[in-house]
Amino acid sequence: MRVLYLFLLIIFISSCSEEKTAKQRPNIVFIMSDDHAYQAISAYDNRLIHTPNIDRVAKMGMLFTNASVTNSICAPSRATILTGKHTHINGKTDNHFPFDTTNVTFPQLLQEAGYQTAMFGKLHFGNNPKGFDQFKILPGQGVYYNPIFITKNEGTYEIEGYVTDIITDMTLDWLENERKADQPFFLAYLHKAPHREWLPAERHIAEFAQKTFPEPATLFDDYSGRGTAAKEAEMNLLHHMNWAGDSKIYPEVMDQLGIPDASGWDKGAFEREVGRMNPTQRANWDKVYQPMNEAFIQAFPNMTDEDKMRWRYQRYMQDYLGTIASVDENVGRVLDYLEANGLMENTIIVYTSDQGFYLGEHGWFDKRFVYDESFKTPLLVAWPGKIQPGSKSDELVQNLDFAQTFLEAAGIPQPEDMQGESLMPLLTGETDKWTRDAVYYHYYEYPSIHMVKRHYAIVTKEYKLIHFYYDVDEWELYDRLNDPQELNNVYNDPAHKEIRQKLHRDLEALREKYGDSSEISQKLLEEYLDKLRGTEERLAPSFKKVGED
């Protein structure tokens, strides 16, 4: 009898131990916006906007000042995050080629290990995300007003309202009504905003349309210190931004003023977004944008190019930052729920973006380049009791590292083919275990919209060595400490000969480490060009624009 008692006691203790271990596994709330520049988060820079709720994550935990992406474009970035692999390995090198669904994603591994998983918002590619018990996602880019959602269990349907609010409503509903208290959870809370075409919520339209924002020092950059790629990119606020879709000049006003639809999809972008509004939404929109259009009609004939550039910058910032205001409000709603329901204590909270973005620096909008504004991405991580509140790290971390970080935090073995490094040593103060001194970058989507040339690079804390290839063969080298705006290419400067030679060696070593090569680049280029030759817009390299990103 005593033996039986001891046997049952051992089983009970073992069961309790397993239950305790399961409960100790952290929940993970992964918050990601789309094209959210680090310059537009006040924890990084408070000159443009105040983001008190996003800043709460930094105050609770760690802010990374040197976080970056491996490929600064939407879908490839998301594929890297999910797989922990560079885009030439996971197959999603650009926005055109499909994601290789044979890839194993970290949510699948979390789900198999007993995590409850859910995704709400913008995935960007694929309509059936793997490894999720529940999902409600936007098709492709989605829209700001009255969006359509693809759901796991309810089919596809439209919801009236503003997309950022709706994604948050879905997230909070899941936390309240579907989350299982006896399981750890992984929640992907993914915003469309602030992606182009930047439509603020009704409550923010008038507020932000009245604001004036400081201009970046390089708004009128002439690219004299750089090579062909910067000079030929089509991202200039004055020359390449859409008038209707982006700057919200009504199509009929464009016709009245003789402004052509140069992109071929400018007016269509306006109708696709603003045209979705219901009568009340449109009336609130017109209360602000109609007077703005009327004032523009009066001013336009006498505006110089410099005047137009300054005007377009302000219009851009008003709408872009207006969309971020709603993101910040809604992040606050989720943080408030976690606090009110006792879910902060053992929950990892991440705020990031799928890449950085240009906010007028160098006269640009969009991303794609390895230059800092698009290469660097915001990354704020909180984990009460594990991460020192208010801490900062300048280590070279990437979106490549997220998968392994989450797996290690959950106590799940990391697949050997993942290519990142867990951030756990940095998050928990064991910085001596972090040894990375350089990161690798590779951009592929050219020729295409914005015409940013193909390039790869090695980036250290001090330097950045870039190779632009295909229709050019040019190298650029930047001193990141002494030239933070990256205005002067010092590749041919004799004073940088030794560092240039070292970076060339290190770059080749990184390419070998991550399984990249010139042969792979050529193969991917040929596949891309073959795909484009099947369209009407196939004249490479002087290539017309292919769709929107």
Side-chain angles (χ1 to χ4, degrees):
M1 188 71 178
R2 179 176 294 178
V3 173
L4 177 61
Y5 172 77
L6 289 173
F7 177 71
L8 293 173
L9 181 63
I10 290 170
I11 292 176
F12 175 75
I13 293 172
S14 175
S15 175
C16 289
S17 177
E18 290 176 4
E19 182 179 351
K20 183 178 180 182
T21 299
K23 288 183 177 179
Q24 286 176 341
R25 290 186 295 173
N27 305 311
I28 303 168
V29 177
F30 181 69
I31 310 171
M32 184 166 71
S33 49
D34 193 309
D35 293 343
H36 192 169
Y38 61 88
Q39 312 94 289
I41 294 176
S42 49
Y44 285 93
D45 189 334
N46 61 11
R47 288 176 293 178
L48 291 175
I49 190 171
H50 185 42
T51 53
N53 292 297
I54 296 171
D55 293 358
R56 284 165 64 183
V57 182
K59 290 177 181 177
M60 290 189 292
M62 180 173 288
L63 180 145
F64 288 86
T65 60
N66 251 331
S68 65
V69 297
T70 65
N71 184 352
S72 185
I73 189 169
C74 298
S77 175
R78 292 159 191 267
T80 291
I81 288 169
L82 288 170
T83 63
K85 302 174 187 176
H86 277 273
T87 52
H88 67 279
I89 300 294
N90 67 45
K92 191 63 178 167
T93 53
D94 54 52
N95 279 334
H96 301 293
F97 280 93
F99 177 62
D100 180 357
T101 56
T102 64
N103 281 296
V104 174
T105 66
F106 79 82
Q108 287 177 273
L109 301 176
L110 290 173
Q111 186 184 50
E112 291 170 2
Y115 269 71
Q116 187 182 9
T117 57
M119 174 186 286
F120 302 100
K122 182 178 177 181
L123 173 61
H124 192 149
F125 62 89
N127 295 336
N128 187 21
K130 297 166 65 175
F132 288 93
D133 301 310
Q134 177 63 282
F135 65 79
K136 297 180 181 181
I137 60 174
L138 298 164
Q141 297 291 356
V143 292
Y144 278 99
Y145 280 85
N146 310 321
I148 294 170
F149 281 85
I150 300 165
T151 71
K152 186 179 179 83
N153 302 313
E154 305 165 65
T156 299
Y157 57 86
E158 180 178 318
I159 302 178
E160 192 169 61
Y162 187 67
V163 67
T164 308
D165 301 334
I166 294 168
I167 292 168
T168 307
D169 291 344
M170 290 174 168
T171 298
L172 293 174
D173 180 72
W174 182 85
L175 284 167
E176 180 68 19
N177 298 310
E178 294 187 48
R179 180 182 62 86
K180 298 176 181 177
D182 61 346
Q183 282 184 267
F185 65 84
F186 171 75
L187 172 61
Y189 168 47
L190 312 175
H191 286 293
K192 169 185 171 60
H195 193 276
R196 194 180 187 186
E197 278 80 14
W198 316 299
L199 275 69
E202 292 171 82
R203 61 187 178 274
H204 295 305
I205 293 172
E207 173 193 356
F208 277 81
Q210 297 171 8
K211 291 180 179 287
T212 300
F213 300 94
E215 295 176 356
T218 57
L219 181 63
F220 294 95
D221 190 355
D222 63 3
Y223 318 116
S224 57
R226 284 183 280 185
T228 306
K231 295 180 178 72
E232 293 187 359
E234 297 180 358
M235 307 194 308
N236 185 270
L237 293 175
L238 175 59
H239 301 295
H240 305 119
M241 183 173 274
N242 285 334
W243 283 99
D246 295 333
S247 295
K248 312 307 187 299
I249 295 300
Y250 291 1
E252 59 269 25
V253 173
M254 288 179 61
D255 293 341
Q256 178 181 343
L257 296 175
I259 300 173
D261 185 344
S263 70
W265 50 275
D266 185 351
K267 296 177 182 178
F270 182 91
E271 294 300 335
R272 184 180 67 245
E273 289 284 356
V274 179
R276 292 189 61 84
M277 295 178 176
N278 64 34
T280 300
Q281 292 165 344
R282 183 60 191 264
N284 288 329
W285 179 271
D286 286 338
K287 284 179 185 177
V288 175
Y289 287 91
Q290 185 69 47
M292 181 271 287
N293 272 260
E294 292 170 356
F296 184 74
I297 291 171
Q298 298 300 315
F300 184 76
N302 298 315
M303 294 173 75
T304 65
D305 281 352
E306 181 178 330
D307 294 334
K308 293 172 186 175
M309 183 69 157
R310 295 184 188 281
W311 184 91
R312 300 205 77 174
Y313 169 74
Q314 295 300 331
R315 276 277 55 248
Y316 173 34
M317 288 297 92
Q318 289 162 356
D319 288 345
Y320 177 91
L321 296 170
T323 68
I324 289 174
S326 63
V327 172
D328 186 71
E329 289 174 347
N330 280 286
V331 167
R333 291 174 63 198
V334 172
L335 296 180
D336 289 347
Y337 181 92
L338 297 175
E339 288 180 347
N341 290 273
L343 292 173
M344 277 291 193
E345 183 178 347
N346 193 32
T347 296
I348 299 172
I349 302 169
V350 175
Y351 186 88
T352 190
S353 173
D354 53 356
Q355 63 261 320
F357 214 66
Y358 291 99
L359 304 185
E361 298 90 358
H362 311 296
W364 288 337
F365 67 106
D366 206 69
K367 57 256 183 182
R368 301 166 193 266
F369 275 114
V370 73
Y371 304 136
D372 269 6
E373 289 84 3
S374 54
F375 166 68
K376 290 174 63 174
T377 192
L379 179 59
L380 304 80
V381 186
W383 190 0
K386 297 284 187 177
I387 301 175
Q388 182 68 30
S391 54
K392 290 186 178 182
S393 173
D394 69 346
E395 295 298 338
L396 296 162
V397 304
Q398 287 192 296
N399 57 353
L400 185 70
D401 304 324
F402 294 169
Q404 283 148 283
T405 302
F406 296 147
L407 293 175
E408 181 175 347
I412 300 170
Q414 304 165 30
E416 292 183 0
D417 61 349
M418 284 187 173
Q419 296 182 301
E421 297 181 33
S422 169
L423 304 181
M424 288 294 287
L426 300 177
L427 298 175
T428 58
E430 299 180 288
T431 54
D432 58 315
K433 295 182 179 179
W434 183 262
T435 59
R436 179 188 286 161
D437 58 6
V439 293
Y440 182 61
Y441 179 92
H442 200 150
Y443 174 78
Y444 300 87
E445 192 172 297
Y446 175 85
S448 186
I449 185 173
H450 298 306
M451 298 300 281
V452 173
K453 296 183 184 298
R454 290 174 176 247
H455 60 290
Y456 57 88
I458 181 174
V459 183
T460 71
K461 289 182 181 180
E462 296 83 15
Y463 293 99
K464 185 178 295 183
L465 177 67
I466 313 165
H467 183 210
F468 292 95
Y469 67 96
Y470 168 39
D471 60 335
V472 295
D473 180 9
E474 295 181 2
W475 290 87
E476 295 182 3
L477 173 63
Y478 294 96
D479 183 331
R480 300 186 73 200
L481 300 182
N482 295 307
D483 180 22
Q485 294 179 331
E486 297 171 306
L487 296 174
N488 299 300
N489 174 20
V490 295
Y491 185 80
N492 293 314
D493 182 353
H496 290 84
K497 178 180 178 180
E498 290 186 11
I499 188 63
R500 182 182 71 232
Q501 292 174 338
K502 180 182 186 304
L503 287 171
H504 269 288
R505 293 191 298 269
D506 293 346
L507 175 58
E508 287 309 307
L510 269 188
R511 281 164 69 78
E512 182 176 353
K513 174 183 177 179
Y514 292 122
D516 201 4
S517 66
S518 297
E519 290 75 20
I520 292 173
S521 297
Q522 183 63 29
K523 176 177 178 291
L524 291 170
L525 171 62
E526 291 171 0
E527 291 174 353
Y528 182 83
L529 294 178
D530 283 344
K531 186 179 181 70
L532 297 187
R533 289 186 186 103
T535 73
E536 294 179 357
E537 299 172 309
R538 63 181 180 81
L539 302 176
S542 57
F543 184 76
K544 296 181 181 179
K545 303 171 184 64
V546 181
E548 190 194 354
D549 59 332

